[in-house]
Amino acid sequence: MTVLVPILGDQLSHRLASLQGCDPADTVVLMMEVAEEATHVRHHQAKIALILSAMRHFAAELRAAGWRVDYVSLTDPDNTGSFTGEVIRAAQRHAPRLIRVVEPGDWRVEQAMLDWQTFVGCPVEILPDSRFLCSRDEFAGWAAGRKELRMEFFYREMRRRTGILMDGKEPVGGKWNYDAENRSGPPPGLKGPPLPRFGPDAITREVLELIGDRFGQHFGSLERFNWPVTAAEAEVAAETFLRQRLPTFGQWQDAMVAGQDFLFHAVLSPAINLGLLDPVDLSRRAEAEYHAGRAPLAAVEGFIRQLIGWREYIRGVYWLEMPGLAEANFLEAERPLPDFYWTGETPMACLADCVRTTRDNAYAHHIQRLMVLGNFALLAGIRPQEVADWFLVVYADAFDWVELPNVAGMALFADGGRLASKPYAASGAYIDRMSGYCGTCIYDVKVKTGPRGCPFNALYWHFLARNEGKLARNPRLANPYATWRRMTEAKRNEYLASADAFLQQLQPASGGWAHAHKTTPDREDSPC
Ligand code: FAD
Ligand code: DLZ
Ligand code: SF4
């Protein structure tokens, strides 16, 4: 009797724990393309294409390596449309003595997985995902008794554990964190080098056609699809980044330039999250660039902090805080998501460009996500669950475990400060400093209120004023609240009236983008 090893679409690593110790002669690997994963929120077309193409390539690699793979395609007429339905069918086909699977990245999927044993009648072994440095239990141990979970202290533990950028017990260079050296605004004409091109092969072309046919109504476009879909392609992307963009990654990490969608960012998060690249290996290779004198310490430390610091920490927070995090709304934000998050039709140049790159590439870089798209949602008081659905839909790298803490915790302060010590709220001045957007905008970033004033300016004070009861005691907000209180009443009222007038004319999204209209089921929806 065989062992059945289901491998999910973001588990495409040859060193996956469930494959270790299995005998290929006695194992069936199960891979499932299921409609529910594409439609529980209606993912960006390019994201679905990336995952399905990467899954098909990975299945071919497994077969070439001697594994027996049972691959259920989306077009299989008997496809039930869900992981659970497909595991039940596969158990009927193979009568396994054991199902061995790696824990999923998504709380929703884990809940389903916990029921598999009842449906299939054989034991189901759920293994920790050893592709992360810090297990869920270890993170819970680290967090126990801490009121606030600060990334910086966690990150130092990961540096010590891996020895990356360590000089004995001390950090290389004498400091743990070089962020202060990493925040330059863009000079005119700043351009990043082009990304490597990954021409679609026959597998990807077939997937692109399938997705266009089946999910063509979803957000986003397939026209600029250029994601690496195999470990070999991801390796080309990684090597190009390490050599061409890492040296200046830190300096321009926070910069935003209209039409320059990638600048000096890694653009590796989809490949990392799918399992095509190993983040610890990448960190060691970045460290080697520093030791070889090809990249400065500030850039290398900044990149490594994202990978073994932020990424691991965010995942720990997700499992610690779920399922409550999905409903968290500390600031009681209830405004619906504006339509322009889907259409890009807004006179605010910064938001229009961030939505455009999101639609074209299923990508926007960190500061676009945090300080433009997230900041606007925070200031305008958009309901966190609608914002989280949007972020989960639109980015090729978005999986619940990484998207939700970044949105609810980092961008929206919906967790009341478990993750961030203060809300990342900023007026137009920040966006102006870090981007070239304001020069092309119909609003004037220097004007504080009224129809010509940059909306971020009045919204910033509106945000602080309406949340005073919840935020005024935060020591990191003492200065802005002191400034607010020093203003004349007339000035304060002018800000509030200006923000109210702006908020009133926001058009809510028409519906159907993140979730199908319930009255008209998608044709890809399955009854299972
Ligand atoms: P770089 O800026 O070059 O960073 C290098 C790598 O570090 C990334 O590839 C990523 O693996 C890791 N990393 C950096 N920051 C974070 C972080 N905060 N959390 C986790 N990993 C990080 N990242 C996702 O992978 N999926 C998401 O769904 C996601 N949603 C986000 C939503 C919001 C509101 C914010 C503020 C951030 C979000 N991030 C998310 C984190 C970050 O923006 C992306 O990882 C990054 O933009 C990916 O692009 P890159 O590969 O060019 O990253
Ligand atoms: C996101 C996604 C999509 C769109 N489709 C599939 C799929 O057909 N089959 C699959 O195994 N995984 C898919 N995924 C990724 C899963 O949603 C992801 O593995 C789970 O949410 C667990 O993190
Ligand atoms: Fe954005 Fe305001 Fe600048 Fe316009 S002026 S681009 S709305 S920050």
Side-chain angles (χ1 to χ4, degrees):
M1 277 170 92
T2 54
V3 177
L4 185 66
V5 175
I7 295 186
L8 308 185
D10 56 356
Q11 298 182 338
L12 309 181
S13 313
H14 289 280
R15 69 175 182 92
L16 200 68
S18 52
L19 291 173
Q20 305 309 309
C22 278
D23 176 0
D26 179 34
T27 304
V28 174
V29 172
L30 173 66
M31 296 184 69
M32 309 158 267
E33 295 180 355
V34 289
E36 185 174 317
E37 294 309 301
T39 58
H40 74 97
V41 292
R42 291 160 50 105
H43 291 294
H44 191 300
Q45 297 176 51
K47 175 183 189 176
I48 308 174
L50 163 65
I51 292 169
L52 265 47
S53 176
M55 285 175 63
R56 291 180 182 197
H57 282 93
F58 188 70
E61 287 175 20
L62 285 176
R63 285 191 182 114
W67 295 95
R68 191 146 59 104
V69 182
D70 183 353
Y71 194 97
V72 182
S73 88
L74 206 56
T75 50
D76 180 335
D78 296 324
N79 191 325
T80 58
S82 75
F83 286 143
T84 299
E86 285 315 294
V87 167
I88 294 170
R89 281 204 318 133
Q92 287 160 357
R93 284 195 295 277
H94 304 291
R97 67 180 156 80
L98 173 69
I99 295 180
R100 261 188 124 204
V101 65
V102 168
E103 62 193 358
D106 190 323
W107 189 87
R108 167 189 60 89
V109 176
E110 188 174 70
Q111 294 308 296
M113 215 178 246
L114 290 170
D115 283 338
W116 285 0
Q117 193 153 322
T118 348
F119 293 127
V120 295
C122 76
V124 176
E125 186 186 9
I126 303 179
L127 303 170
D129 191 341
S130 57
R131 297 173 303 165
F132 288 90
L133 267 177
C134 183
S135 73
R136 287 159 54 173
D137 285 349
E138 283 170 328
F139 190 87
W142 174 81
R146 290 173 199 253
K147 192 158 164 270
E148 295 169 330
L149 306 173
R150 294 291 166 257
M151 195 288 296
E152 185 61 30
F153 301 111
F154 171 80
Y155 165 55
R156 292 178 191 182
E157 297 220 2
M158 295 303 107
R159 290 269 295 274
R160 288 191 191 97
R161 180 182 294 191
T162 54
I164 293 175
L165 283 185
M166 293 300 292
D167 192 357
K169 289 188 171 162
E170 298 304 317
V172 165
K175 281 200 299 184
W176 291 100
N177 184 318
Y178 290 81
D179 213 19
E181 294 170 33
N182 277 345
R183 288 177 176 163
S184 310
L190 181 70
K191 256 180 141 172
L195 295 181
R197 304 284 319 160
F198 301 106
D201 65 4
I203 294 180
T204 301
R205 284 199 301 274
E206 193 182 358
V207 168
L208 289 172
E209 200 172 317
L210 172 68
I211 303 311
D213 276 358
R214 215 152 155 176
F215 304 111
Q217 302 309 311
H218 286 206
F219 177 75
S221 104
L222 293 170
E223 274 163 35
R224 290 174 49 156
F225 186 91
N226 185 39
W227 291 109
V229 293
T230 62
E233 287 185 347
E235 174 53 32
V236 172
E239 191 58 27
T240 313
F241 165 71
L242 291 170
R243 288 307 172 93
Q244 296 182 1
R245 304 199 299 285
L246 176 63
T248 30
F249 166 80
Q251 188 178 4
W252 310 121
Q253 200 178 345
D254 289 6
M256 297 177 278
V257 180
Q260 283 292 308
D261 298 342
F262 309 108
L263 285 172
F264 296 87
H265 288 271
V267 199
L268 294 176
S269 47
I272 297 169
N273 293 348
L274 292 188
L276 304 178
L277 286 173
D278 176 356
V280 177
D281 173 60
L282 259 181
S283 301
R284 292 196 195 285
R285 289 165 64 189
E287 181 186 20
E289 292 299 299
Y290 164 66
H291 288 304
R294 287 191 291 263
L297 182 55
V300 168
E301 186 281 316
F303 179 63
I304 289 172
R305 176 161 20 93
Q306 311 305 317
L307 283 174
I308 64 168
W310 277 110
R311 187 171 182 274
E312 292 279 336
Y313 164 84
I314 283 286
R315 190 236 185 193
V317 168
Y318 176 78
W319 287 106
L320 195 69
E321 304 287 314
M322 279 303 279
L325 190 59
E327 295 304 320
N329 192 357
F330 174 71
L331 298 176
E332 298 172 80
E334 291 299 346
R335 192 174 301 282
L337 188 77
D339 208 32
F340 68 73
Y341 274 78
W342 299 110
T343 63
E345 286 166 18
T346 166
M348 290 179 278
C350 52
L351 281 154
D353 189 60
C354 292
V355 174
R356 182 209 45 81
T357 175
T358 302
R359 186 187 53 229
D360 289 353
N361 304 308
Y363 177 87
H365 70 67
H366 187 68
I367 293 301
Q368 293 174 314
R369 296 187 204 195
L370 182 63
M371 298 311 294
V372 178
L373 296 156
N375 183 26
F376 184 88
L378 172 75
L379 299 185
I382 314 295
R383 198 167 173 269
Q385 288 68 31
E386 289 195 38
V387 184
D389 279 352
W390 184 83
F391 274 94
L392 185 60
V393 164
V394 302
Y395 292 115
D397 59 22
F399 296 89
D400 209 45
W401 68 266
V402 56
E403 170 273 321
L404 188 61
N406 270 302
V407 172
M410 193 184 303
L412 302 183
F413 209 70
D415 63 350
R418 280 279 274 173
L419 189 146
S421 56
K422 75 172 182 70
Y424 282 90
S427 68
Y430 173 87
I431 297 173
D432 191 30
R433 194 162 62 248
M434 298 317 299
S435 78
Y437 287 138
C438 300
T440 64
C441 187
I442 67 157
Y443 294 108
D444 187 336
V445 73
K446 302 269 182 315
V447 176
K448 306 291 181 204
T449 56
R452 278 188 56 237
C454 164
F456 281 87
N457 293 337
L459 284 175
Y460 175 78
W461 293 113
H462 193 274
F463 166 78
L464 286 179
R466 72 173 186 269
N467 292 304
E468 194 165 2
K470 293 188 166 162
L471 299 177
R473 268 166 296 149
N474 184 321
R476 297 199 61 201
L477 292 174
N479 283 342
Y481 274 114
T483 308
W484 174 244
R485 285 181 203 120
R486 272 200 306 273
M487 285 179 202
T488 61
E489 195 177 346
K491 186 75 201 163
R492 286 201 295 261
N493 286 339
E494 192 185 322
Y495 274 123
L496 296 180
S498 185
D500 277 331
F502 174 82
L503 289 169
Q504 264 167 30
Q505 53 77 50
L506 282 179
Q507 289 295 321
S510 51
W513 282 109
H515 300 279
H517 290 290
K518 292 300 171 218
T519 46
T520 51
D522 272 7
R523 69 196 155 96
E524 68 262 25
D525 277 353
S526 141
C528 185

